[in-house]
Amino acid sequence: MRWWKRHHGRTDLSNGILLCETCHHRIHDNGWGIRVDGAGTAAHVWFIPPSYVDPAQTPRLGGRARFDIAA
């Protein structure tokens, strides 16, 4: 992910991710990061907490894939 304002990233679908309003603000306002592994529907999205939440900053699986693990 390359942020539009911070990194002058593109504003097209290949550089985007759907987030609910809460997650969107968590990323922008609370220091969380996003990592995307893969592409298209096979991609996995990881949320990376700031050090004040998790000093090790262990990535947490997001999106639909997190529910697949529980099933």
Side-chain angles (χ1 to χ4, degrees), residues 1-10 15 24-34:
M1 293 292 308
R2 293 188 50 81
W3 292 22
W4 174 76
K5 189 171 186 178
R6 184 185 299 173
H7 306 124
H8 306 285
R10 297 182 325 265
N15 187 46
H24 182 99
H25 286 288
R26 183 171 291 146
I27 299 299
H28 278 288
D29 302 334
N30 296 339
W32 286 69
I34 296 178

Side-chain angles (χ1 to χ4, degrees), residues 32 35 46-51 53-61:
W32 286 69
R35 184 179 83 212
W46 299 87
F47 293 102
I48 304 164
S51 58
V53 172
D54 176 4
Q57 293 189 293
T58 305
R60 300 166 186 207
L61 190 58

Side-chain angles (χ1 to χ4, degrees), residues 2-22:
R2 293 188 50 81
W3 292 22
W4 174 76
K5 189 171 186 178
R6 184 185 299 173
H7 306 124
H8 306 285
R10 297 182 325 265
T11 57
D12 58 26
L13 292 176
S14 66
N15 187 46
I17 184 169
L18 290 173
L19 296 172
C20 70
E21 183 178 3
T22 300

